[in-house]
Amino acid sequence: MTSLSELKNFLSLPKNITITAHRNPDGDAVGASLALAHYLKKQNHDVSVVLPSEYPESLFWMKGIHDILVYDTEEKQALDKIERAELFFCLDFNSLDRIDKAGEAMLKNKNAKIVTIDHHLYPEGFSDLLISDPQASSTCEMIYTFITDLGDADLIDHTIGDCLYTGILTDTGSFKYSTSSRLFRVVADLLDRGVDDYHLQNLIFNSMTEKQLRLLGHCLNNRMEIIPEYSTGIITLTKEDYANFDIKRGDTEGIINNLLRLKEVDVAAFIMEQPTIVKISLRSKDDISVQELAQKHFRGGGHKNAAGGASFHNLTATVNKFKEILPLYFQKKTFH
Ligand code: 5GP
Ligand code: MN
């Protein structure tokens, strides 16, 4: 299966389909998975969503989210769905290491075809059909295009629309990044199909817990460092911060974007001391890319303006390493 028309043929009879997306799934990964699942179920396919790790609590309101199987905690059921699949959809990731053991299990199932729909740079070649668009704001925008290209725009109801809109809102930071005229056309159509923009913005952005807002204050007040010569801002979180604030999955979402609100910051880094690794998130403005830095130095990758990776050194060593490589990528500014 190497074309959309072959896929359309394949989908003309009910199939066992397993959808997966990247580890630490965000609004786009979960939104795209659920939107595609709702769409395929409408056509009588037997559809499961298997994610490598837990989805954030802030998305619990999404329809169908509690049917998702989490590989980390429900390995047996997840493996069963992977072994029985006749078709896999890989969403919002470009390399198999982003889904860990689920990827190994998927490759063992030789009977199934793999379709990837993704907007990250430099997708690896593990799919039978690769639909890649690094210009797209989000995988959710691509799922909208995918469904319309299959001639099924009429099946996009407000449940599917809510899921798609969630990924678009979260991956664009509420229309601050990666926007295009095409995206706004997609969004206009979703609103015409019954998506309630105001309600979703409130569910997604105005639903913080007090702890999360205080953690943001702590990060900005006590953990932020600005390096003016390299127009760079860094926020770090220590193991003690994790314990003191009882930081859980999703609590640190969006903190890094605050660094970009500074006029003098073009590159932002959020470096977190997690139990077994030090996780690094990167953001940048305009034409400045953080993708290569993440890939070459932190075993990661992503997009031009949003990338990430990990380090196996301690927090201080990781921060120092990041500071040392800044001159390799970014122009030094001089001040008079
Ligand atoms: P975030 O900083 O929100 O975790 O991720 C930003 C972007 O970088 C996302 O598109 C994500 O897929 C990518 N990214 C984050 N961490 C990693 C990683 O460890 N490996 C790879 N390949 N991409 C990552
Ligand atoms: Mn995405």
Side-chain angles (χ1 to χ4, degrees):
M1 178 196 303
T2 51
S3 70
L4 201 60
S5 56
E6 283 176 60
L7 175 62
K8 195 175 160 77
N9 259 343
F10 184 79
L11 291 174
S12 61
L13 289 173
K15 293 284 183 325
N16 282 324
I17 301 175
T18 297
I19 299 171
T20 187
H22 63 78
R23 175 165 278 282
N24 300 324
D26 53 9
D28 192 32
V30 176
S33 300
L34 291 178
L36 184 63
H38 292 312
Y39 160 70
L40 292 168
K41 279 181 187 166
K42 276 189 156 182
Q43 296 177 312
N44 300 318
H45 298 293
D46 188 335
V47 189
S48 325
V49 178
V50 173
L51 297 177
S53 64
E54 276 291 351
Y55 40 85
E57 250 175 61
S58 59
L59 301 176
F60 279 8
W61 57 270
M62 293 181 83
K63 191 167 176 210
I65 194 161
H66 296 295
D67 298 332
I68 291 177
L69 290 168
V70 176
Y71 195 102
D72 276 356
T73 54
E74 296 160 295
E75 183 169 344
K76 199 166 173 293
Q77 292 114 298
L79 274 175
D80 180 56
K81 296 295 181 192
I82 292 173
E83 282 159 11
R84 285 187 330 119
E86 298 168 278
L87 176 66
F88 291 106
F89 278 98
C90 293
L91 306 183
D92 202 33
F93 67 92
N94 58 357
S95 67
L96 277 183
D97 61 359
R98 299 281 284 143
I99 58 168
D100 310 317
K101 285 190 224 144
E104 290 164 28
M106 188 173 79
L107 292 184
K108 277 194 201 140
N109 178 350
K110 304 271 187 234
N111 301 321
K113 300 286 180 202
I114 301 176
V115 176
T116 293
I117 304 177
D118 176 48
H119 68 133
H120 292 87
L121 290 164
Y122 315 123
E124 284 179 1
F126 57 86
S127 323
D128 296 285
L129 173 61
L130 169 65
I131 305 175
S132 162
D133 181 4
Q135 301 290 329
S137 65
S138 51
T139 301
C140 280
E141 180 186 343
M142 294 182 70
I143 297 288
Y144 173 93
T145 308
F146 174 73
I147 296 174
T148 40
D149 285 352
L150 287 172
D152 290 328
D154 287 348
L155 294 182
I156 302 178
D157 54 18
H158 92 90
T159 301
I160 295 175
D162 283 356
C163 298
L164 294 178
Y165 203 53
T166 298
I168 291 171
L169 278 181
T170 53
D171 262 26
T172 63
S174 204
F175 303 113
K176 284 196 288 293
Y177 331 105
S178 323
T179 55
S180 64
S181 62
R182 183 180 67 175
L183 173 69
F184 286 114
R185 285 195 183 90
V186 169
V187 166
D189 188 48
L190 292 179
L191 298 199
D192 286 343
R193 291 175 191 281
V195 167
D196 184 344
D197 168 51
Y198 181 75
H199 179 61
L200 288 179
Q201 297 266 8
N202 265 341
L203 275 176
I204 293 163
F205 295 114
N206 298 332
S207 299
M208 271 175 123
T209 60
E210 181 182 336
K211 178 187 82 177
Q212 289 168 339
L213 197 58
R214 288 192 189 281
L215 173 64
L216 172 62
H218 172 68
C219 287
L220 300 182
N221 204 24
N222 309 314
R223 295 281 182 263
M224 182 174 83
E225 181 184 357
I226 306 298
I227 307 169
E229 309 89 273
Y230 289 103
S231 308
T232 294
I234 304 176
I235 292 175
T236 48
L237 274 183
T238 64
K239 269 190 186 144
E240 291 70 38
D241 292 329
Y242 271 83
N244 292 342
F245 281 88
D246 186 28
I247 297 176
K248 297 258 162 41
R249 178 174 33 84
D251 287 344
T252 53
E253 200 67 43
I255 290 179
I256 186 174
N257 296 325
N258 288 281
L259 285 167
L260 293 183
R261 296 169 70 184
L262 288 169
K263 192 170 182 205
E264 65 267 33
V265 164
D266 293 327
V267 175
F270 187 28
I271 305 177
M272 296 151 274
E273 189 178 27
Q274 295 181 348
T276 52
I277 54 161
V278 174
K279 174 85 195 144
I280 177 160
S281 277
L282 298 166
R283 299 289 185 274
S284 60
K285 284 179 183 161
D286 296 320
D287 275 341
I288 297 168
S289 175
V290 283
Q291 191 277 338
E292 189 184 320
L293 192 159
Q295 190 183 29
K296 281 214 174 131
H297 300 277
F298 296 102
R299 306 174 190 214
H303 314 277
K304 184 174 84 177
N305 296 129
S311 149
F312 297 89
H313 302 290
N314 68 27
L315 182 65
T316 313
T318 306
V319 172
N320 288 338
K321 175 176 166 183
F322 175 71
K323 288 180 179 171
E324 278 161 24
I325 58 180
L326 280 177
L328 302 179
Y329 289 91
F330 311 113
Q331 206 83 42
K332 184 169 183 170
K333 269 194 190 163
T334 47
F335 299 93
H336 301 287

